[in-house]
Amino acid sequence: MIKRILVTGGAGFLGSHLCERLLTDGHEVVCVDNYFTGSKKNITHLLRNPSFELIRHDVTFPLYIEVDEIYNLACPASPVHYQYDPVQTTKTSVHGAINMLGLAKRVKAKILQASTSEVYGDPEVHPQPESYWGRVNPIGIRSCYDEGKRCAETLFFDYHRQHHLEIKVARIFNTYGPRMHPNDGRVVSNFIVQALQGKDITIFGDGRQTRSFCYVDDLINGFVRLMNTDPEFIGPVNLGNPCEFTMIELANKIIELTDSKSKVTFKNLPQDDPKQRKPNIELAKEKLDWEPTVKLEDGLQKTIEYFKGVI
């Protein structure tokens, strides 16, 4: 069945890949973005598709439109961007959730919230299962994003309980791939750009802190599978790659793949930066029949080729 699907943040890194996937699946797609971190360049190639519609809009204001499903991805997701205007970041998560939930309620649409592994904060449990409530600083420099996303989850579950809205909540772990912003401050894009430019690769902390990296195609597949699960399953569900790497391992791998002469340098770890981040994806395996398939080296190669064309 062809659906009319709204993607907020649709011109962003993840949103543009999601729009592509939904169009490939034969749906009509309405992309909404205010271009704070998204870019028209990410979706220019979709404008010729008659099933694709683009609307410039800020989700902190109500939107009146007829759709069957909503993927709510709108929010700056890298520390550089979400700390630039922290009040607006919180408003985007909270007011944006309220407005999109209100829209879903009016038109009886199914709605998915793109939440984040940041709801776990600097975790005391490793790897992180969905049952873990997290360890988040509510007044730190990352709180605008962490607490904004936690509040958005609260709103989704309360709309589900109070108004019987059909919801899905995905908790996204580190994701990388083509169309990442070159200056977004995330570790994969930072390291690749620095390596390609022959600059020192900057590691914050001692380099032994870990992250797990999921290639964008795998994540988008998880989104679509979650949206298409039975109404009884609402999440939250972790979507990420459980293969764990230290920052030093990642830096050395990128130096190798780019054949760079870059050296690794170390700086102080930012406030509240998590020491470990790795998803427990047993629930995704069980309920979505999903797990990542793209190996880090293969995904990095594709991402490096993309960055060679934009820097």
Side-chain angles (χ1 to χ4, degrees):
M1 185 180 82
I2 297 175
K3 298 172 187 171
R4 183 168 163 81
I5 301 175
L6 170 63
V7 179
T8 72
F13 162 46
L14 296 181
S16 61
H17 284 278
L18 178 59
C19 288
E20 260 180 356
R21 166 65 187 270
L22 295 172
L23 289 167
T24 300
D25 289 349
H27 300 297
E28 296 178 4
V29 174
V30 182
C31 168
V32 165
D33 210 296
N34 69 347
Y35 308 120
F36 177 63
T37 55
S39 170
K40 281 186 180 177
K41 291 179 183 176
N42 289 337
I43 41 86
T44 299
H45 63 293
L46 302 177
L47 294 173
R48 295 185 297 274
N49 190 323
S51 296
F52 183 73
E53 183 179 345
L54 177 61
I55 300 174
R56 182 168 190 152
H57 181 80
D58 185 330
V59 295
T60 61
F61 298 95
L63 179 66
Y64 300 95
I65 190 171
E66 298 292 325
V67 291
D68 302 303
E69 292 179 352
I70 302 167
Y71 288 82
N72 186 38
L73 275 61
C75 189
S78 74
V80 169
H81 291 142
Y82 67 62
Q83 290 172 16
Y84 173 76
D85 188 345
V87 172
Q88 186 63 25
T89 296
T90 304
K91 288 171 70 176
T92 300
S93 286
V94 178
H95 291 186
I98 290 169
N99 287 328
M100 290 306 108
L101 287 162
L103 171 61
K105 181 186 170 190
R106 284 195 301 275
V107 300
K108 296 180 172 56
K110 186 177 0 176
I111 181 168
L112 181 147
Q113 167 67 2
S115 190
T116 172
S117 61
E118 298 294 340
V119 300
Y120 300 123
D122 190 2
E124 302 151 303
V125 175
H126 192 75
Q128 294 82 56
E130 292 84 355
S131 57
Y132 177 54
W133 289 356
R135 177 172 172 259
V136 176
N137 177 1
I139 57 171
I141 59 172
R142 300 169 70 100
S143 309
C144 57
Y145 185 68
D146 300 3
E147 295 288 32
K149 287 290 192 177
R150 285 164 68 96
C151 184
E153 286 196 16
T154 300
L155 286 161
F156 266 69
F157 274 79
D158 284 336
Y159 263 79
H160 172 70
R161 285 185 286 253
Q162 187 172 338
H163 301 296
H164 310 293
L165 204 62
E166 189 172 351
I167 66 165
K168 308 287 181 182
V169 176
R171 289 178 176 165
I172 305 167
F173 283 69
N174 290 58
T175 305
Y176 70 99
R179 300 189 205 133
M180 293 184 82
H181 198 292
N183 302 315
D184 70 1
R186 293 192 231 194
V187 64
V188 172
S189 51
N190 267 11
F191 287 4
I192 290 175
V193 170
Q194 288 169 339
L196 290 174
Q197 293 177 339
K199 297 179 179 177
D200 287 345
I201 289 185
T202 307
I203 291 180
F204 293 93
D206 61 13
R208 288 181 292 182
Q209 69 271 36
T210 64
R211 294 292 185 274
S212 51
F213 302 100
C214 184
Y215 188 64
V216 61
D217 290 356
D218 282 332
L219 184 85
I220 298 305
N221 186 36
F223 273 176
V224 173
R225 288 189 179 211
L226 174 57
M227 184 64 100
N228 293 329
T229 51
D230 291 335
E232 291 76 28
F233 181 69
I234 62 178
V237 60
N238 291 335
L239 294 179
N241 194 322
C243 295
E244 197 174 11
F245 297 88
T246 67
M247 296 301 94
I248 291 175
E249 287 175 325
L250 179 68
N252 289 333
K253 175 61 69 176
I254 288 172
I255 289 171
E256 175 192 331
L257 293 174
T258 55
D259 195 25
S260 175
K261 302 294 189 290
S262 296
K263 301 289 190 292
V264 175
T265 62
F266 297 88
K267 293 188 176 180
N268 291 333
L269 197 67
Q271 180 189 338
D272 299 328
D273 196 67
K275 311 300 185 300
Q276 293 178 305
R277 189 55 63 69
K278 173 182 174 179
N280 179 322
I281 61 166
E282 292 307 310
L283 188 63
K285 287 180 181 178
E286 177 192 346
K287 298 293 187 180
L288 313 183
D289 191 25
W290 176 90
E291 62 182 314
T293 59
V294 179
K295 293 180 180 177
L296 181 66
E297 186 164 328
D298 296 336
L300 286 176
Q301 287 279 24
K302 294 178 183 179
T303 310
I304 288 165
E305 287 307 308
Y306 168 78
F307 277 112
K308 283 180 178 177
V310 298
I311 63 171

